[in-house]
């Protein structure tokens, strides 16, 4: 979804799922395409290039930069071409036509170039009649478009939800049609459902490999809302099926949207705890040393890519009580800033350790203790051996560690292990 061009979906009511379950899935029950057993990692053009700067040359340059910066070496593999690549639909063949000015040779040579660099190609469409930027989209043409994307060698498809029906049953049916069309191509394609509402989560694994659960994250407040909404949806994440809180924002100048450096690092850490897709939106060719260090931290990436694919949860917080319904109402209006509060999240890892993040959403520095009650929630009743995943330092065995955390989105990320654990 892009700002200024969205049709909002109404909130779902609990009985809706029962009423829809019998008929909304056409032909295939569940998504079994064998891709993305761990969260996808890559780059998307939107937060970097937007619409005006998108071209064959800029996409190929992004692919080159992903490799040159060493990002492909740590797992980033998708180059996702977002909105504005298409300009028309051929009235005879019904095939999508690439913008002749920005993609004069069409999309196939761009895809071939990306594949030639050893990377994977992502494409973009919308379930409505036009995309968020008013370009031709896939409503009524799902089978034609899926075949086109597969012919070009697409490995990933993001399908947005602008200018589309707000009826839940219709939305699910449309996404189901595209799912089936992609499966019918025989090509393994990560299907990224972009409906930007949490009610999709309960259907997500039947429809797609990932599904957006909140509005676009364009600034720091959006990080808060995406995180707390996602905190209510952890039960839906599993290998091959992931809640998606949106793309990552870097701090390097030049992209269309950025965060402060410490906030961008907190977002990266929290996304790893949540087993979220790690899709970069920064200008890759000119990444700051800070952002490059953030995006290539192998210890944090390992948290995100852990084979259990467990989404972390909130272990402790002093934030105001909230409900998913209240949060969904809030994101349909002007977003108030994050509350003056703190949180501790934890995620079980496959080696029986826990990744733990301490976040300060408040506007001033705060001291946060991981007390015994919180330790007990992750099975550590006699303290933990603690490793800082950003300084890469062993901090010893601690019983109730306490940390001073920078305001406006500061955080610390750790790995907690049982004291006798030697891994």
């Amino acid at each position: 979804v892009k700002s200024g061009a969205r049709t909002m979906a109404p909130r779902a009511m609990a009985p809706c799922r029962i009423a829809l379950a019998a008929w909304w899935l056409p032909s295939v029950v569940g998504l079994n395409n064998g891709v993305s057993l761990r969260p996808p990692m890559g780059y998307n053009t939107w937060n970097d290039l937007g619409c005006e700067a998108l071209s064959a040359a800029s996409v190929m340059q992004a692919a080159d930069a992903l490799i040159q910066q060493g990002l492909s070496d740590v797992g980033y593999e998708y180059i996702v071409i977002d909105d504005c690549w298409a300009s028309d639909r051929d009235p005879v063949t019904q095939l999508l036509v690439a913008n002749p000015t920005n993609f004069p040779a069409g999309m196939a040579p761009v895809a071939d170039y990306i594949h030639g660099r050893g990377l994977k190609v992502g494409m973009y469409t919308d379930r409505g009649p036009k995309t968020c930027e008013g370009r031709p989209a896939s409503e009524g043409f799902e089978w034609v478009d899926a075949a086109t994307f597969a012919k070009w060698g697409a490995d990933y498809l993001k399908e947005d939800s602008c200018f589309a029906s707000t009826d839940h049953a219709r939305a699910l049916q449309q996404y189901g049609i595209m799912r089936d069309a992609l499966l019918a191509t025989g090509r393994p394609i990560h299907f990224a459902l972009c409906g930007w509402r949490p009610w999709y989560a309960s259907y997500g694994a039947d429809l797609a490999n990932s599904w957006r659960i909140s509005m676009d994250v364009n600034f720091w407040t959006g990080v808060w809302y995406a995180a707390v909404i996602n905190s209510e949806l952890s039960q839906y994440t599993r290998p091959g099926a992931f809640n998606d809180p949106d793309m990552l924002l870097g701090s390097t100048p030049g992209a269309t949207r950025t965060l402060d450096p410490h906030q961008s690092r907190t977002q990266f850490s929290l996304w790893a705890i949540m087993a979220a897709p790690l899709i970069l939106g920064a200008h890759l060719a000119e990444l700051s040393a800070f952002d490059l260090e953030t995006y290539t931290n192998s210890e944090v990436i390992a948290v995100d890519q852990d084979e259990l694919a467990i989404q972390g949860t909130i272990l402790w917080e002093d934030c105001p009580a909230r409900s998913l319904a209240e949060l969904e109402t809030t994101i349909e209006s002007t977003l108030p800033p994050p509350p003056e509060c703190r949180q501790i999240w934890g995620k079980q890892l496959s080696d029986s350790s826990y990744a733990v993040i301490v976040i300060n959403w408040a506007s001033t520095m705060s001291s946060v203790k991981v007390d015994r009650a919180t330790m007990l929630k992750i099975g550590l009743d006699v303290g933990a051996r603690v490793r800082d995943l950003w300084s890469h330092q062993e901090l010893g065995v601690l019983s109730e560690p306490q940390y001073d955390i920078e305001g406006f989105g500061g955080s610390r990320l750790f790995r907690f292990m049982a004291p006798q654990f030697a891994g």
Side-chain angles (χ1 to χ4, degrees), residues 255-323:
T256 61
R257 298 161 184 82
T258 59
L259 295 174
D260 291 341
H262 72 283
Q263 293 172 341
S264 68
R265 184 158 290 184
T266 291
Q267 186 195 20
F268 191 76
S269 298
L270 184 53
W271 264 225
I273 288 280
M274 295 192 298
L278 299 181
I279 306 297
L280 308 179
H283 190 59
L284 300 182
E286 299 177 0
L287 277 182
S288 67
F290 183 92
D291 279 357
L292 186 59
E293 180 185 42
T294 297
Y295 296 148
T296 58
N297 185 324
S298 59
E299 292 193 72
V300 181
I301 292 171
V303 171
D304 180 76
Q305 297 288 299
D306 186 78
E307 64 185 20
L308 295 182
I310 292 173
Q311 180 175 312
T313 58
I314 298 170
L315 304 175
W316 171 92
E317 63 178 326
D318 61 1
C319 298
R322 59 198 175 268
S323 70

Side-chain angles (χ1 to χ4, degrees), residues 181-411:
L182 292 173
L183 288 171
T185 69
R187 184 173 180 82
I189 298 174
H190 177 105
F191 187 27
L193 183 160
C194 189
W196 12 282
R197 283 296 182 271
W199 65 263
Y200 281 101
S202 60
Y203 305 94
D206 290 328
L207 285 170
N209 298 108
S210 60
W211 48 89
R212 281 280 302 281
I213 50 83
S214 186
M215 298 302 291
D216 291 4
V217 174
N218 293 326
F219 43 86
W220 177 243
T221 297
V223 174
W224 156 260
Y225 283 98
V228 292
I229 287 171
N230 206 22
S231 73
E232 304 288 334
L233 306 172
S234 61
Q235 68 269 31
Y236 301 114
T237 284
R238 67 193 73 163
F242 301 96
N243 293 311
D244 181 1
D246 200 15
M247 294 174 280
L248 294 160
L249 297 179
S251 64
T252 302
T256 61
R257 298 161 184 82
T258 59
L259 295 174
D260 291 341
H262 72 283
Q263 293 172 341
S264 68
R265 184 158 290 184
T266 291
Q267 186 195 20
F268 191 76
S269 298
L270 184 53
W271 264 225
I273 288 280
M274 295 192 298
L278 299 181
I279 306 297
L280 308 179
H283 190 59
L284 300 182
E286 299 177 0
L287 277 182
S288 67
F290 183 92
D291 279 357
L292 186 59
E293 180 185 42
T294 297
Y295 296 148
T296 58
N297 185 324
S298 59
E299 292 193 72
V300 181
I301 292 171
V303 171
D304 180 76
Q305 297 288 299
D306 186 78
E307 64 185 20
L308 295 182
I310 292 173
Q311 180 175 312
T313 58
I314 298 170
L315 304 175
W316 171 92
E317 63 178 326
D318 61 1
C319 298
R322 59 198 175 268
S323 70
L324 189 57
E326 291 169 342
L327 290 167
E328 193 169 3
T329 299
T330 301
I331 63 173
E332 294 179 4
S333 60
T334 302
L335 297 179
E340 296 286 314
C341 67
R342 294 139 288 273
Q343 291 177 328
I344 302 172
W345 293 59
K347 173 183 179 177
Q348 183 183 354
L349 302 176
S350 55
D351 65 358
S352 298
S353 67
Y354 271 80
V356 175
I357 187 171
V358 183
I359 307 172
N360 182 15
W361 300 102
S363 57
T364 58
M365 180 174 287
S366 296
S367 183
V368 182
K369 178 187 287 187
V370 186
D371 61 18
R372 189 168 188 274
T374 304
M375 288 283 208
L376 287 172
K377 290 180 181 179
I378 56 176
L380 297 171
D381 58 349
V382 292
R385 183 191 302 172
V386 180
R387 179 174 176 82
D388 188 312
L389 297 188
W390 285 107
S391 71
H392 308 293
Q393 293 181 333
E394 298 288 343
L395 305 182
V397 176
L398 306 174
S399 57
E400 290 188 306
Q402 186 164 340
Y403 305 101
D404 293 330
I405 309 294
E406 181 179 1
F408 287 112
S411 66

